[in-house]
Amino acid sequence: MRQEEAEAVRADLGPSTRAAQWDRTTNGSVKLLLSETQQQQLAARSTRLSLPARTIVYREDAALDWIYISSEGVLKAFRELPSGKRRIAAFLFPGDVFGLAENGRYLNTVQAVTHVTLYRIPNEALTEMLRSDPDLQFQFLCKVTHELRQGQRHSIVLARKDAAGRLAMFLSMLENNVVAGTRSGWIQLPMSRTDLGEYLGLSLESVSRATAALARSGLVTFQGGHAAKVLDRERFEKLVNAL
Amino acid sequence: MRQEEAEAVRADLGPSTRAAQWDRTTNGSVKLLLSETQQQQLAARSTRLSLPARTIVYREDAALDWIYISSEGVLKAFRELPSGKRRIAAFLFPGDVFGLAENGRYLNTVQAVTHVTLYRIPNEALTEMLRSDPDLQFQFLCKVTHELRQGQRHSIVLARKDAAGRLAMFLSMLENNVVAGTRSGWIQLPMSRTDLGEYLGLSLESVSRATAALARSGLVTFQGGHAAKVLDRERFEKLVNAL
DNA sequence: CGTAGTATTGAAACGGATCAATATCTGTGG
DNA sequence: CCACAGATATTGATCCGTTTCAATACTACG
């Protein structure tokens, strides 16, 4: 079904997509697939960064200077609310593009959750490339479109009233984001319970209770708080889809 | 501040945006501003539609055939959940582009809330134009980016725990969407309480109680259930920002 | 090995969902 | 123009789950 979607995109765009095609990464998100020329151009203008966990990549309201592409690790994009609370808008995984969806100023603060490696491209260089290369720009259009879809999924999660259901949906989402090479069945949870709460719109106590509830009812086991495994697939999926 | 953002976009893109510029409509959303040639091209390939309230424009999972631009009236974009419940992802106002953010299949069902007039462009014709016109494509990139931002705002609303606060944020959002010419201060609420509930993640009873609460505390008056006016601006804004 | 940040668990209270009854609005036909 | 019917909206009472406050347990890193 995912595969079908990718096909459909190619069909929609016809010949123009041959040089720069869509594809889905192993982590389930949409990845930029570039022609050799495009890769060279991007590589020539980008800097590779290696950042430890907790590093802030940029802050909300800062001037938009660079566009980033995540290569390894996990990051979080969040906003600080007037009350001091935080709402995490999205977690960023390898292959994700960020710093793109804002005009002149970054909208969110982006911070590394784990150690990460990123590619950083000056905003002007990228927009210059987009301007002169419709195929490349189409890649980004699709990328943003995909993020829009993710955002809508997030809204659906937030509209659920049951904490366990929200958590299950989040785990399900992470499952589709498994980086190739992860051991069978175990879902890595690099982020803290607080992060989960800020993403799911729950207090961290509720997150804790939700994990306990999933474990107690035998749907999922947790290992050390940062890994999970679905035990009862059928009931798990039923919960996920019990919207 | 909005104005500043628009400026920044132009600055980011430089000369390439001269022919096809960004602008903000009076309703606060981002509108496509096209060159004469682009307008002619679009006009030549689009059909104008006039639809009564409640008409379904397209259904989720239907094949993506056309892209739409709203001209008059209000629509809602929603998904039917397995349980039969609905979640409204967005309301669509004049100037909004929709049917764009999906690949091969529409993601949401779109239905007219009021009588609407739309422009409909065959998908292939539009993608053809985008392929050959980077400036035009950039318009759409920015448009989708803006929708992404709206989606994030929606997520923030949904993460609030207090019904009155959610409703106040929605009213505030509508206020920025006022179509030019609306009488001073009155916010039009063309959608039903049920629609509000489905957008805000509340039961319609809670929406009703929230309106009652806002009225009782003197922040807002409601007139016939489909118009509202902020009475105590200061306290209203305080509530909106009390995240 | 200890300390600080992180996570779990418990008890009480608040707020929204739900069920249920009544009221209002809208559009249609007499 | 009015009356009626179906849909939409308001209001009330109760239940359930999340939040909050608080105390304890765990984990990771120096």
Side-chain angles (χ1 to χ4, degrees):
Chain A
M1 185 257 201
R2 296 240 141 123
Q3 194 53 40
E4 284 168 22
E5 280 182 17
E7 287 301 334
V9 179
R10 270 184 221 111
D12 283 350
L13 266 282
S16 77
T17 55
R18 280 199 202 114
Q21 283 185 353
W22 270 113
D23 200 8
R24 289 183 175 276
T25 62
T26 48
N27 75 10
S29 69
V30 176
K31 186 177 175 177
L32 299 171
L33 259 201
L34 308 174
S35 74
E36 251 183 54
T37 319
Q38 287 169 335
Q39 280 179 14
Q40 285 169 9
Q41 280 188 296
L42 274 178
R45 300 171 194 217
S46 65
T47 314
R48 191 165 182 275
L49 299 175
S50 182
L51 305 174
R54 290 155 192 262
T55 309
I56 290 184
V57 180
Y58 56 75
R59 290 181 194 277
E60 59 187 296
D61 294 328
L64 192 158
D65 295 321
W66 290 289
I67 307 291
Y68 298 83
I69 300 178
S70 168
S71 172
E72 289 171 40
V74 179
L75 307 96
K76 57 182 174 180
F78 61 86
R79 288 180 65 107
E80 303 268 3
L81 299 177
S83 66
K85 297 194 174 185
R86 284 178 175 177
R87 312 254 90 250
I88 292 178
F91 291 106
L92 303 164
F93 298 96
D96 281 346
V97 177
F98 59 98
L100 186 69
E102 301 87 6
N103 292 328
R105 308 254 138 206
Y106 295 113
L107 263 190
N108 297 309
T109 300
V110 169
Q111 184 177 20
V113 170
T114 65
H115 187 285
V116 295
T117 65
L118 308 174
Y119 291 90
R120 188 177 75 178
I121 302 137
N123 185 32
E124 311 82 42
L126 183 68
T127 48
E128 173 70 18
M129 285 180 69
L130 294 182
R131 190 166 70 93
S132 60
D133 187 342
D135 287 339
L136 181 64
Q137 190 180 176
F138 184 75
Q139 297 282 311
F140 279 86
L141 181 58
C142 293
K143 186 70 196 168
V144 175
T145 286
H146 177 257
E147 285 181 28
L148 184 69
R149 230 185 290 148
Q150 289 286 92
Q152 288 196 358
R153 286 184 62 82
H154 188 195
S155 291
I156 290 175
V157 172
L158 287 173
R160 282 191 82 149
K161 306 132 290 180
D162 60 322
R166 287 195 210 181
L167 180 61
M169 286 186 79
F170 180 72
L171 291 175
S172 175
M173 179 197 119
L174 277 187
E175 245 185 337
N176 299 327
N177 278 11
V178 171
V179 178
T182 302
R183 287 187 316 295
S184 59
W186 283 100
I187 306 167
Q188 298 302 122
L189 292 170
M191 61 291 291
S192 69
R193 293 288 186 267
T194 304
D195 287 340
L196 254 67
E198 289 171 353
Y199 181 79
L200 298 174
L202 297 169
S203 65
L204 89 168
E205 293 98 325
S206 288
V207 174
S208 215
R209 281 185 247 271
T211 62
L214 287 183
R216 205 179 319 115
S217 53
L219 297 198
V220 180
T221 15
F222 293 87
Q223 178 199 52
H226 288 291
K229 186 175 188 174
V230 176
L231 292 182
D232 188 334
R233 172 63 54 183
E234 190 177 347
R235 284 200 298 152
F236 178 76
E237 293 296 341
K238 205 175 122 209
L239 175 59
V240 168
N241 289 36
L243 302 152
Chain B
M1 184 256 200
R2 295 240 142 120
Q3 194 52 41
E4 283 166 23
E5 279 181 17
E7 287 301 333
V9 178
R10 272 187 219 110
D12 284 350
L13 264 282
S16 78
T17 53
R18 283 201 199 112
Q21 284 186 353
W22 270 111
D23 200 7
R24 287 181 176 277
T25 61
T26 49
N27 76 9
S29 69
V30 176
K31 186 177 176 177
L32 299 171
L33 258 202
L34 308 174
S35 73
E36 249 183 55
T37 319
Q38 287 168 336
Q39 281 179 12
Q40 286 169 8
Q41 281 188 298
L42 274 178
R45 298 170 195 218
S46 66
T47 314
R48 191 165 182 275
L49 299 176
S50 183
L51 305 174
R54 288 156 193 263
T55 308
I56 290 184
V57 180
Y58 56 74
R59 288 180 195 278
E60 57 187 299
D61 295 327
L64 190 157
D65 294 322
W66 290 289
I67 307 293
Y68 298 83
I69 300 178
S70 168
S71 172
E72 290 170 39
V74 178
L75 306 97
K76 55 182 175 181
F78 61 87
R79 287 180 67 105
E80 303 268 1
L81 300 176
S83 66
K85 297 193 175 186
R86 284 179 175 178
R87 313 252 89 252
I88 293 179
F91 291 105
L92 302 164
F93 298 96
D96 281 346
V97 177
F98 58 99
L100 185 69
E102 300 88 6
N103 294 328
R105 309 254 138 208
Y106 294 113
L107 266 189
N108 296 311
T109 300
V110 170
Q111 185 177 20
V113 170
T114 64
H115 188 285
V116 295
T117 65
L118 309 172
Y119 290 90
R120 187 176 76 178
I121 302 137
N123 185 33
E124 311 82 41
L126 183 68
T127 49
E128 172 71 18
M129 285 181 68
L130 295 182
R131 189 166 70 93
S132 59
D133 186 342
D135 287 339
L136 180 64
Q137 189 180 177
F138 184 75
Q139 296 282 312
F140 279 85
L141 180 58
C142 293
K143 187 71 197 169
V144 175
T145 286
H146 177 256
E147 285 182 28
L148 183 70
R149 228 185 291 148
Q150 289 285 91
Q152 289 196 358
R153 286 184 63 82
H154 189 194
S155 290
I156 289 175
V157 172
L158 287 173
R160 283 192 81 149
K161 305 130 292 175
D162 59 322
R166 287 195 208 182
L167 179 61
M169 285 187 79
F170 180 73
L171 291 176
S172 176
M173 180 199 119
L174 278 186
E175 246 187 334
N176 298 327
N177 279 10
V178 171
V179 178
T182 302
R183 285 187 319 294
S184 60
W186 284 99
I187 306 167
Q188 298 302 123
L189 291 168
M191 61 290 293
S192 69
R193 293 289 188 267
T194 304
D195 287 340
L196 254 70
E198 289 171 354
Y199 181 80
L200 297 174
L202 296 169
S203 65
L204 89 169
E205 293 98 325
S206 289
V207 174
S208 216
R209 278 185 248 272
T211 61
L214 287 183
R216 203 178 322 114
S217 53
L219 297 199
V220 181
T221 12
F222 292 88
Q223 176 199 53
H226 286 291
K229 186 174 188 174
V230 176
L231 291 182
D232 188 334
R233 171 64 53 183
E234 190 177 348
R235 284 200 298 151
F236 179 76
E237 294 296 340
K238 204 175 125 208
L239 175 59
V240 168
N241 289 42
L243 301 152

